[in-house]
Amino acid sequence: MTIQNDKMAQPYQQINLLALFEYVERRQDAFKVFHKNDTSLAFKQQLTTEMRRLIEAYFNNLFQEATQSDQIELSITADYLAGASLVLVFKWIEDGLVYSPRYMAKMLYQLVQMPNMAFNVAGFFVEA
């Protein structure tokens, strides 16, 4: 895989995690309705699809020359990151937004940098 280092052109949109959590906090009543309503599955799927699209655009920009095997890994990674991010957002809502948006943004940022975390959870999983 070749990593693109052209910082001048940025054909992807970055996610400001603090802005994301602040947005959810401001519109928590609407998010609670979507979360508990029968339409919540469609709503969550739309959010996940959009988040996945943004992550894939980032990957496509970052990795210019990806083999088919790399593309499969990137696709699975995009699915994981999109799903995990939104599960965390909805869990935060479910728990009553007990933590600040800044704290949640920091935690999500740390989670996507898993190898740098202070504790190792890989032992929980068994590789097939």
Side-chain angles (χ1 to χ4, degrees), residues 3-83:
I3 298 177
Q4 179 179 357
N5 289 321
D6 181 15
K7 300 216 185 232
M8 298 294 285
Q10 196 175 46
Y12 59 88
Q13 182 179 354
Q14 290 181 294
I15 302 293
N16 180 321
L17 292 176
L18 180 57
L20 169 68
F21 283 100
E22 287 174 341
Y23 178 83
V24 171
E25 182 182 50
R26 282 192 309 274
R27 289 164 178 78
Q28 64 182 285
D29 291 337
F31 276 88
K32 286 176 185 175
V33 169
F34 281 122
H35 182 59
K36 293 180 181 177
N37 193 312
D38 290 338
T39 60
S40 68
L41 182 58
F43 176 68
K44 289 176 186 177
Q45 286 175 332
Q46 282 183 310
L47 286 176
T48 303
T49 298
E50 181 60 16
M51 180 72 88
R52 183 185 197 285
R53 186 190 66 73
L54 292 170
I55 292 168
E56 281 188 327
Y58 171 75
F59 284 163
N60 289 337
N61 183 66
L62 189 63
F63 304 106
Q64 288 183 334
E65 297 173 21
T67 66
Q68 186 175 1
S69 176
D70 292 334
Q71 289 174 353
I72 292 168
E73 287 182 32
L74 292 173
S75 176
I76 291 170
T77 302
D79 283 336
Y80 168 77
L81 290 172

